PDB file of all heavy atoms in Angstrom:
ATOM      1  N   THR A   5       0.329  11.029   0.691  1.00 46.00           N
ATOM      2  CA  THR A   5       1.089  12.299   0.874  1.00 46.00           C
ATOM      3  C   THR A   5       0.175  13.272   1.603  1.00 46.00           C
ATOM      4  O   THR A   5      -0.903  13.609   1.125  1.00 46.00           O
ATOM      5  CB  THR A   5       1.455  12.783  -0.479  1.00 46.00           C
ATOM      6  OG1 THR A   5       2.239  11.810  -1.157  1.00 46.00           O
ATOM      7  CG2 THR A   5       2.248  14.133  -0.368  1.00 46.00           C
ATOM      8  N   GLU A   6       0.665  13.816   2.693  1.00 51.00           N
ATOM      9  CA  GLU A   6      -0.113  14.759   3.501  1.00 51.00           C
ATOM     10  C   GLU A   6       0.228  16.142   2.999  1.00 51.00           C
ATOM     11  O   GLU A   6       1.397  16.449   2.696  1.00 51.00           O
ATOM     12  CB  GLU A   6       0.142  14.605   4.978  1.00 51.00           C
ATOM     13  CG  GLU A   6      -0.325  13.289   5.487  1.00 51.00           C
ATOM     14  CD  GLU A   6      -0.138  13.241   7.025  1.00 51.00           C
ATOM     15  OE1 GLU A   6       0.359  14.238   7.620  1.00 51.00           O
ATOM     16  OE2 GLU A   6      -0.490  12.255   7.622  1.00 51.00           O
ATOM     17  N   ALA A   7      -0.752  17.031   2.983  1.00 51.00           N
ATOM     18  CA  ALA A   7      -0.550  18.443   2.635  1.00 51.00           C
ATOM     19  C   ALA A   7       0.248  19.116   3.745  1.00 51.00           C
ATOM     20  O   ALA A   7       0.026  18.818   4.903  1.00 51.00           O
ATOM     21  CB  ALA A   7      -1.839  19.116   2.424  1.00 51.00           C
ATOM     22  N   PRO A   8       1.198  19.955   3.424  1.00 56.00           N
ATOM     23  CA  PRO A   8       1.907  20.653   4.452  1.00 56.00           C
ATOM     24  C   PRO A   8       0.998  21.603   5.249  1.00 56.00           C
ATOM     25  O   PRO A   8      -0.052  22.088   4.797  1.00 56.00           O
ATOM     26  CB  PRO A   8       2.910  21.472   3.634  1.00 56.00           C
ATOM     27  CG  PRO A   8       2.354  21.610   2.299  1.00 56.00           C
ATOM     28  CD  PRO A   8       1.547  20.442   2.084  1.00 56.00           C
ATOM     29  N   ALA A   9       1.406  21.875   6.499  1.00 61.00           N
ATOM     30  CA  ALA A   9       0.627  22.810   7.295  1.00 61.00           C
ATOM     31  C   ALA A   9       0.550  24.132   6.680  1.00 61.00           C
ATOM     32  O   ALA A   9       1.559  24.643   6.110  1.00 61.00           O
ATOM     33  CB  ALA A   9       1.295  22.915   8.725  1.00 61.00           C
ATOM     34  N   ARG A  10      -0.584  24.802   6.750  1.00 72.00           N
ATOM     35  CA  ARG A  10      -0.760  26.058   6.096  1.00 72.00           C
ATOM     36  C   ARG A  10      -1.229  27.110   7.151  1.00 72.00           C
ATOM     37  O   ARG A  10      -2.003  26.769   8.095  1.00 72.00           O
ATOM     38  CB  ARG A  10      -1.763  26.000   4.946  1.00 72.00           C
ATOM     39  CG  ARG A  10      -1.233  25.046   3.861  1.00 72.00           C
ATOM     40  CD  ARG A  10      -2.225  24.986   2.714  1.00 72.00           C
ATOM     41  NE  ARG A  10      -1.752  24.075   1.686  1.00 72.00           N
ATOM     42  CZ  ARG A  10      -0.883  24.367   0.613  1.00 72.00           C
ATOM     43  NH1 ARG A  10      -0.618  25.660   0.559  1.00 72.00           N
ATOM     44  NH2 ARG A  10      -0.490  23.467  -0.213  1.00 72.00           N
ATOM     45  N   THR A  11      -0.898  28.380   6.917  1.00 82.00           N
ATOM     46  CA  THR A  11      -1.386  29.451   7.788  1.00 82.00           C
ATOM     47  C   THR A  11      -2.777  29.745   7.466  1.00 82.00           C
ATOM     48  O   THR A  11      -3.257  29.401   6.397  1.00 82.00           O
ATOM     49  CB  THR A  11      -0.505  30.746   7.585  1.00 82.00           C
ATOM     50  OG1 THR A  11      -0.720  31.208   6.270  1.00 82.00           O
ATOM     51  CG2 THR A  11       0.964  30.405   7.791  1.00 82.00           C
ATOM     52  N   PRO A  12      -3.522  30.334   8.375  1.00 79.00           N
ATOM     53  CA  PRO A  12      -4.912  30.823   8.182  1.00 79.00           C
ATOM     54  C   PRO A  12      -5.065  31.581   6.888  1.00 79.00           C
ATOM     55  O   PRO A  12      -5.975  31.375   6.088  1.00 79.00           O
ATOM     56  CB  PRO A  12      -5.285  31.580   9.312  1.00 79.00           C
ATOM     57  CG  PRO A  12      -4.468  31.028  10.404  1.00 79.00           C
ATOM     58  CD  PRO A  12      -3.169  30.660   9.796  1.00 79.00           C
ATOM     59  N   ARG A  13      -4.095  32.506   6.597  1.00 82.00           N
ATOM     60  CA  ARG A  13      -4.102  33.309   5.490  1.00 82.00           C
ATOM     61  C   ARG A  13      -4.021  32.439   4.156  1.00 82.00           C
ATOM     62  O   ARG A  13      -4.703  32.759   3.164  1.00 82.00           O
ATOM     63  CB  ARG A  13      -2.984  34.334   5.444  1.00 82.00           C
ATOM     64  CG  ARG A  13      -2.981  35.349   4.291  1.00 82.00           C
ATOM     65  CD  ARG A  13      -1.958  36.370   4.449  1.00 82.00           C
ATOM     66  NE  ARG A  13      -1.879  37.274   3.325  1.00 82.00           N
ATOM     67  CZ  ARG A  13      -1.093  38.286   3.201  1.00 82.00           C
ATOM     68  NH1 ARG A  13      -0.174  38.558   4.215  1.00 82.00           N
ATOM     69  NH2 ARG A  13      -1.106  39.115   2.132  1.00 82.00           N
ATOM     70  N   GLN A  14      -3.136  31.513   4.200  1.00 81.00           N
ATOM     71  CA  GLN A  14      -3.012  30.594   3.001  1.00 81.00           C
ATOM     72  C   GLN A  14      -4.239  29.763   2.799  1.00 81.00           C
ATOM     73  O   GLN A  14      -4.693  29.509   1.692  1.00 81.00           O
ATOM     74  CB  GLN A  14      -1.798  29.662   3.229  1.00 81.00           C
ATOM     75  CG  GLN A  14      -0.451  30.331   3.158  1.00 81.00           C
ATOM     76  CD  GLN A  14       0.713  29.432   3.482  1.00 81.00           C
ATOM     77  OE1 GLN A  14       0.568  28.565   4.403  1.00 81.00           O
ATOM     78  NE2 GLN A  14       1.796  29.538   2.702  1.00 81.00           N
ATOM     79  N   VAL A  15      -4.898  29.387   3.869  1.00 84.00           N
ATOM     80  CA  VAL A  15      -6.196  28.583   3.741  1.00 84.00           C
ATOM     81  C   VAL A  15      -7.217  29.429   3.134  1.00 84.00           C
ATOM     82  O   VAL A  15      -7.927  29.015   2.171  1.00 84.00           O
ATOM     83  CB  VAL A  15      -6.607  28.049   5.146  1.00 84.00           C
ATOM     84  CG1 VAL A  15      -8.020  27.390   4.981  1.00 84.00           C
ATOM     85  CG2 VAL A  15      -5.583  26.998   5.652  1.00 84.00           C
ATOM     86  N   VAL A  16      -7.372  30.655   3.646  1.00 88.00           N
ATOM     87  CA  VAL A  16      -8.398  31.570   3.090  1.00 88.00           C
ATOM     88  C   VAL A  16      -8.086  31.819   1.559  1.00 88.00           C
ATOM     89  O   VAL A  16      -9.007  31.856   0.736  1.00 88.00           O
ATOM     90  CB  VAL A  16      -8.436  32.899   3.911  1.00 88.00           C
ATOM     91  CG1 VAL A  16      -9.276  33.906   3.131  1.00 88.00           C
ATOM     92  CG2 VAL A  16      -8.938  32.628   5.244  1.00 88.00           C
ATOM     93  N   GLY A  17      -6.813  32.000   1.290  1.00 86.00           N
ATOM     94  CA  GLY A  17      -6.475  32.302  -0.077  1.00 86.00           C
ATOM     95  C   GLY A  17      -6.774  31.114  -0.966  1.00 86.00           C
ATOM     96  O   GLY A  17      -7.187  31.327  -2.128  1.00 86.00           O
ATOM     97  N   ALA A  18      -6.578  29.958  -0.412  1.00 87.00           N
ATOM     98  CA  ALA A  18      -6.943  28.736  -1.275  1.00 87.00           C
ATOM     99  C   ALA A  18      -8.414  28.580  -1.493  1.00 87.00           C
ATOM    100  O   ALA A  18      -8.868  28.315  -2.689  1.00 87.00           O
ATOM    101  CB  ALA A  18      -6.490  27.520  -0.510  1.00 87.00           C
ATOM    102  N   TYR A  19      -9.274  28.973  -0.561  1.00 90.00           N
ATOM    103  CA  TYR A  19     -10.683  28.933  -0.767  1.00 90.00           C
ATOM    104  C   TYR A  19     -11.100  30.018  -1.759  1.00 90.00           C
ATOM    105  O   TYR A  19     -11.970  29.805  -2.631  1.00 90.00           O
ATOM    106  CB  TYR A  19     -11.480  29.037   0.500  1.00 90.00           C
ATOM    107  CG  TYR A  19     -11.617  27.749   1.302  1.00 90.00           C
ATOM    108  CD1 TYR A  19     -10.754  27.512   2.374  1.00 90.00           C
ATOM    109  CD2 TYR A  19     -12.508  26.834   0.927  1.00 90.00           C
ATOM    110  CE1 TYR A  19     -10.893  26.273   3.088  1.00 90.00           C
ATOM    111  CE2 TYR A  19     -12.662  25.590   1.651  1.00 90.00           C
ATOM    112  CZ  TYR A  19     -11.778  25.359   2.713  1.00 90.00           C
ATOM    113  OH  TYR A  19     -11.877  24.164   3.384  1.00 90.00           O
TER     114      TYR A  19
END
Side-chain angles (χ1 to χ4, degrees):
T5 303
E6 296 184 359
R10 297 179 182 273
T11 66
R13 182 175 180 178
Q14 289 175 320
V15 172
V16 170
Y19 278 100

